[in-house]
């Protein structure tokens, strides 16, 4: 039986690098609670969250993380008050306009995953332009999950496979974990090694359900606007102290690392 990560090889690394996750996913939670504690509007909390985001992206690039996936807006977030949703869409568009060139200068590749059709034409256009501009960058792969849900992702992948079967391009017997893995979002990236959630909530909220099958989970009470480079380093240190068994015994893992 092959390891769950065997399809994603990486160059030989030093022991310190081996202790780092290749793919970190973050559920950025707590903007509204932070704003209420400061006596500010929820919108101000989201703006403060952008500052935290900049610090974490910089640190992830410095630590040579391969992929950083951020849960920016879930498919369930449309249920929030209209004024908040509109403010989030304006913030998303502003970030696409102002931040992408900075990412490009630092060699960061940007991708957006999720159902884009619900976004305005302007947002969709800027997403396409940002992805095209940064497509060949060799550094950190920054992924923004927007109007995204893990169930939607898996269902969409299953539908594409079903369409291939209906067209006579694929035998049903050929559908296995590897076939589905090739159809879900981020199929070209390593599986998620570490998922961080801020604000004290302890759930994954329909985020990257397929990709996080073997992820280590790090929950912190820190509200997202207060989560910076030091908190990110603390999460990486927590990850480095975990023993990842992938179904093996402790003894097998220790023997493999000997």
């Amino acid at each position: 039986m092959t390891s769950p990560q065997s399809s994603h090889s990486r160059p030989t690394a030093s022991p310190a690098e081996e202790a780092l996750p290749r793919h970190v996913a973050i559920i950025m939670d707590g903007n509204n609670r932070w704003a209420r504690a400061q006596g500010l509007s929820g919108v101000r909390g989201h703006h403060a969250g952008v500052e935290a985001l900049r610090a974490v992206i910089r640190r992830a690039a410095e630590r040579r993380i391969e992929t950083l996936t951020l849960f920016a807006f879930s498919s369930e977030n449309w249920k929030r008050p209209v004024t908040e949703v509109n403010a989030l869409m304006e913030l998303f568009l502003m970030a696409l306009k102002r931040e992408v060139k900075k990412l490009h200068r630092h060699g960061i590749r940007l991708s957006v995953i999720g159902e884009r059709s619900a976004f305005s034409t302007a947002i969709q256009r800027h997403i396409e332009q940002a992805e095209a501009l940064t497509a060949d960058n060799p550094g950190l792969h920054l992924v923004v999950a927007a109007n995204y849900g893990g169930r939607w992702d898996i269902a969409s992948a299953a539908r594409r496979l079903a369409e291939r079967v209906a067209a006579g391009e694929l035998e049903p017997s050929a559908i296995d974990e590897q076939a589905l893995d090739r159809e879900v979002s981020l199929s070209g990236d390593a599986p998620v090694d570490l998922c961080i959630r801020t604000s004290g909530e302890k759930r994954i909220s329909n985020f990257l359900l397929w990709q996080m099958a073997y992820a280590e989970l790090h929950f912190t009470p820190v509200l997202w606007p207060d989560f910076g480079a030091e908190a990110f380093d603390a999460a990486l240190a927590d990850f480095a102290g975990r023993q990842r068994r992938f179904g093996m015994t402790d003894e097998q893992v220790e023997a493999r690392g000997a």
Side-chain angles (χ1 to χ4, degrees), residues 36-67:
R36 285 197 300 270
Q38 306 293 323
L40 303 172
S41 68
V43 174
R44 291 287 298 276
H46 292 304
H47 280 272
V50 172
E51 294 301 320
L53 179 57
R54 292 190 182 107
V56 169
I57 292 171
R58 283 195 299 268
R59 183 52 57 91
E62 290 169 358
R63 299 299 299 271
R64 299 181 182 273
I65 303 300
E66 292 180 20
T67 305

Side-chain angles (χ1 to χ4, degrees), residues 17-87:
E17 290 173 328
E18 287 292 352
L20 289 173
R22 297 176 63 186
H23 188 165
V24 178
I26 304 180
I27 301 173
M28 306 177 292
D29 198 7
N31 289 344
N32 281 321
R33 273 169 282 176
W34 181 90
R36 285 197 300 270
Q38 306 293 323
L40 303 172
S41 68
V43 174
R44 291 287 298 276
H46 292 304
H47 280 272
V50 172
E51 294 301 320
L53 179 57
R54 292 190 182 107
V56 169
I57 292 171
R58 283 195 299 268
R59 183 52 57 91
E62 290 169 358
R63 299 299 299 271
R64 299 181 182 273
I65 303 300
E66 292 180 20
T67 305
L68 177 66
T69 301
L70 308 167
F71 208 4
F73 190 84
S74 78
S75 51
E76 289 80 21
N77 284 156
W78 296 107
K79 300 173 186 176
R80 293 193 173 196
V82 174
T83 52
E84 182 178 353
V85 171
N86 289 341

Side-chain angles (χ1 to χ4, degrees), residues 26 28 69-78 88-89 92-93 96 110-119 123-124 127 131 143-150 152 185 206-208:
I26 304 180
M28 306 177 292
T69 301
L70 308 167
F71 208 4
F73 190 84
S74 78
S75 51
E76 289 80 21
N77 284 156
W78 296 107
L88 285 168
M89 292 301 104
F92 188 19
L93 183 58
L96 287 168
L110 176 67
S111 297
V112 177
I113 59 173
E115 178 51 65
R116 300 183 187 184
S117 62
F119 294 128
I123 288 177
Q124 293 184 54
I127 289 173
E131 290 180 330
V143 182
V144 176
N147 195 25
Y148 175 89
W152 164 86
S185 300
N206 196 24
F207 184 39
L208 298 176

Side-chain angles (χ1 to χ4, degrees), residues 104 112 131 154 223 239:
H104 184 50
V112 177
E131 290 180 330
I154 296 170
L223 301 176
F239 174 85

